[in-house]
Amino acid sequence: MRPVIGVPLRYTHMNDERPILYIGEKVRRTFQKAGGFVFSITPVQDVDYINVKGNELPELTEEEKELVRMSVRACDGVLFPGGIKFTEYDRFLLKTVIEEKVPVLGICLGMQLMSCH
């Protein structure tokens, strides 16, 4: 059976300023070529993470935290990719990964998130 590798989606804007979530194509293809199944972990809040300042982001509700836990439990490992900033959602996701003893790898911003934890 293929290992399930969770990858939190990152946020950016398209050229016309519409917000989008994405996963880097090199990340996806690398895990697929290695025999893994890439599981996209989507943010659980309806927030424009780029335009909202970090101190203005709403706290996660208990229901949202449970959705994060469910996503982590579906994974054999989690990769935190690079990005432009991390949020309370990312912090809670990492905390859950550690509590569930799921192997984790951080790249660029993902490693910064891990070092701040």
Side-chain angles (χ1 to χ4, degrees):
M1 191 157 119
R2 291 175 166 230
V4 176
I5 307 302
V7 181
L9 299 180
R10 291 296 176 218
Y11 0 88
T12 192
H13 281 125
M14 295 178 60
N15 290 340
D16 62 4
E17 293 303 309
R18 288 182 293 159
I20 61 169
L21 295 169
Y22 71 94
I23 182 172
E25 182 65 3
K26 286 184 180 180
V27 169
R28 184 192 67 78
R29 292 182 71 195
T30 298
F31 280 115
Q32 284 185 327
K33 284 181 181 180
F37 172 77
V38 178
F39 177 74
S40 299
I41 302 176
T42 58
V44 294
Q45 295 175 308
D46 184 19
V47 175
D48 181 351
Y49 287 102
I50 294 176
N51 291 324
V52 177
K53 295 178 184 172
N55 62 348
E56 296 174 356
L57 289 168
E59 290 188 26
L60 293 169
T61 66
E62 287 305 313
E63 182 179 348
E64 291 167 339
K65 288 179 180 180
E66 186 53 33
L67 291 172
V68 171
R69 289 183 192 102
M70 288 171 48
S71 293
V72 170
R73 289 181 191 130
C75 300
D76 297 309
V78 173
L79 166 75
F80 283 89
I84 57 173
K85 68 179 176 181
F86 56 84
T87 65
E88 183 59 34
Y89 165 73
D90 294 302
R91 287 183 191 95
F92 184 77
L93 179 58
L94 177 60
K95 179 178 179 256
T96 303
V97 166
I98 292 169
E99 288 172 355
E100 294 288 330
K101 296 181 171 59
V102 174
V104 62
L105 174 66
I107 298 174
C108 198
L109 183 73
M111 183 54 95
Q112 291 175 36
L113 170 66
M114 292 167 52
S115 70
C116 290
H117 180 76

